[in-house]
Amino acid sequence: MKFAFFLPLLLTSFVANSVQNFNNAKTHLVKIYTANREQTTFYCGCEFSFNGKRGNVDFSQCGYTPRKNQVRAARIEWEHVMPAENFGRHLKCWRNGGRKECKKDAVFNTMEGDLHNLQPSIGEVNGDRSNFRYSQFTKTPNQYGQCQSAVDFKQRQFQPREEIRGVIARTYFYMQDKYNINLSDAQSKLMTAWDNEYPPNEWECERNKQIERIQGNDNKFITEKCN
């Protein structure tokens, strides 16, 4: 299916000189996804819309059933594909006081606000994923109704739906390359497999271009597969 992607004039004026942080990133993401309304939530493929900056999820179109938290399930949150702990723990501020202490650190704020690492997620799934590692296990994905992602709380693993596994892999490689983040051998092998098995679709390529216009840099691991 071909989509006509629209980028508002407001986004075409590059804001590289503005501060890169999580709050500014969320503002840009709302504009991107408001302009591309056919896009869906990352882990579950649900339609959503914005009322101002608040994102609301439409369960009726995707068969999502809240597992436990109805209120959080109904809202959009911006998920760090590579969790903040994964990149934060490389910094001294994290060792001195975790995320709260790192909020004072310019390097952490830049990493936390990187648009390439942020995706729209149903709030409940974002919370359940926590900082669990991505994995591929045999659990039947029925914890959230028809959502095809699953979580193993005991083993602290999260199994994403197939459609986004390549996106996750290329995001991890980007964060590793951009910020010198270490990946375990197991994670590197998994991400390499996903990168090869699930190539970018049209939206992943277009989203990468839109973020480059806003942030000033692309994800080369997407770009090289889209050209």
Side-chain angles (χ1 to χ4, degrees), residues 6 8 15 30 32 35 37-38 40 43 46 49 54 62 108 132 137 152 192 203 209 223:
F6 173 69
V15 289
V30 169
I32 289 174
R37 295 179 182 274
E38 71 278 10
T40 59
Y43 293 128
C46 294
S49 60
R54 179 179 175 83
C62 65
F108 176 81
F132 296 175
F137 48 91
D152 185 334
T192 298
W203 169 241
K209 292 177 182 177
T223 301

Side-chain angles (χ1 to χ4, degrees), residues 105-120:
D105 187 276
V107 174
F108 176 81
N109 287 329
T110 297
M111 296 162 76
E112 187 185 34
D114 195 309
L115 294 167
H116 289 293
N117 189 41
L118 292 164
Q119 294 283 351

Side-chain angles (χ1 to χ4, degrees), residues 55-75:
N56 302 299
V57 183
D58 184 354
F59 296 153
S60 66
Q61 298 300 316
C62 65
Y64 183 89
T65 302
R67 182 186 67 83
K68 185 177 181 181
N69 193 328
Q70 176 80 39
V71 174
R72 194 170 182 184
R75 73 184 187 218

Side-chain angles (χ1 to χ4, degrees), residues 3 16-17 31 37 69 89-90 98 112 114 129 131-132 136 158 160 165 173 177 179 182 189 201 206 213 215:
F3 296 118
N17 292 325
K31 293 174 183 176
R37 295 179 182 274
N69 193 328
R89 66 189 179 202
H90 288 70
E112 187 185 34
D114 195 309
R129 189 266 165 128
N131 62 354
F132 296 175
Q136 200 168 322
F158 188 90
R165 290 175 184 175
F173 289 147
D177 179 71
Y179 301 109
N182 296 326
K189 290 177 182 177
N201 62 16
E206 178 60 25
R213 285 193 284 264
Q215 189 168 283

Side-chain angles (χ1 to χ4, degrees), residues 10-218:
L10 182 61
L11 288 183
T12 61
S13 58
F14 175 49
V15 289
N17 292 325
S18 65
V19 177
Q20 184 173 313
N21 58 39
F22 192 32
N23 284 336
N24 286 341
K26 288 186 284 188
T27 298
H28 291 305
L29 289 163
V30 169
K31 293 174 183 176
I32 289 174
Y33 283 88
T34 297
N36 297 280
R37 295 179 182 274
E38 71 278 10
Q39 301 311 318
T40 59
T41 62
F42 193 56
Y43 293 128
C44 297
C46 294
E47 295 180 6
F48 64 97
S49 60
F50 287 99
N51 181 8
K53 290 186 177 182
R54 179 179 175 83
N56 302 299
V57 183
D58 184 354
F59 296 153
S60 66
Q61 298 300 316
C62 65
Y64 183 89
T65 302
R67 182 186 67 83
K68 185 177 181 181
N69 193 328
Q70 176 80 39
V71 174
R72 194 170 182 184
R75 73 184 187 218
I76 289 294
E77 295 179 359
W78 296 106
E79 160 77 321
H80 287 90
V81 177
M82 175 180 282
E85 181 177 351
N86 287 40
F87 55 79
R89 66 189 179 202
H90 288 70
L91 303 174
K92 182 179 179 180
C93 60
W94 195 275
R95 296 190 292 271
N96 289 341
R99 192 168 192 161
K100 183 178 180 180
E101 186 66 24
C102 275
K103 285 292 187 180
K104 307 170 188 175
D105 187 276
V107 174
F108 176 81
N109 287 329
T110 297
M111 296 162 76
E112 187 185 34
D114 195 309
L115 294 167
H116 289 293
N117 189 41
L118 292 164
Q119 294 283 351
S121 173
I122 290 173
E124 179 180 47
V125 183
N126 182 34
D128 285 353
R129 189 266 165 128
S130 183
N131 62 354
F132 296 175
R133 68 186 182 279
Y134 290 113
S135 186
Q136 200 168 322
F137 48 91
T138 58
K139 188 175 183 65
T140 302
N142 60 7
Q143 294 161 303
Y144 309 102
Q146 295 178 29
C147 175
Q148 293 300 297
S149 294
V151 61
D152 185 334
F153 293 101
K154 186 175 182 180
Q155 298 298 323
R156 297 179 61 80
Q157 299 179 90
F158 188 90
Q159 177 176 278
R161 62 191 179 110
E162 289 190 26
E163 292 88 342
I164 62 169
R165 290 175 184 175
V167 182
I168 290 169
R170 288 178 283 279
T171 302
Y172 263 62
F173 289 147
Y174 166 82
M175 293 295 288
Q176 178 187 42
D177 179 71
K178 178 74 174 177
Y179 301 109
N180 196 29
I181 306 300
N182 296 326
L183 299 183
S184 69
D185 288 343
Q187 284 284 282
S188 293
K189 290 177 182 177
L190 179 65
M191 296 306 164
T192 298
W194 283 357
D195 180 38
N196 292 331
E197 188 172 355
Y198 304 102
N201 62 16
E202 188 178 2
W203 169 241
E204 186 181 351
C205 295
E206 178 60 25
R207 182 183 187 271
N208 183 44
K209 292 177 182 177
Q210 292 191 18
I211 290 175
E212 182 179 11
R213 285 193 284 264
I214 297 167
Q215 189 168 283
N217 68 294
D218 68 336

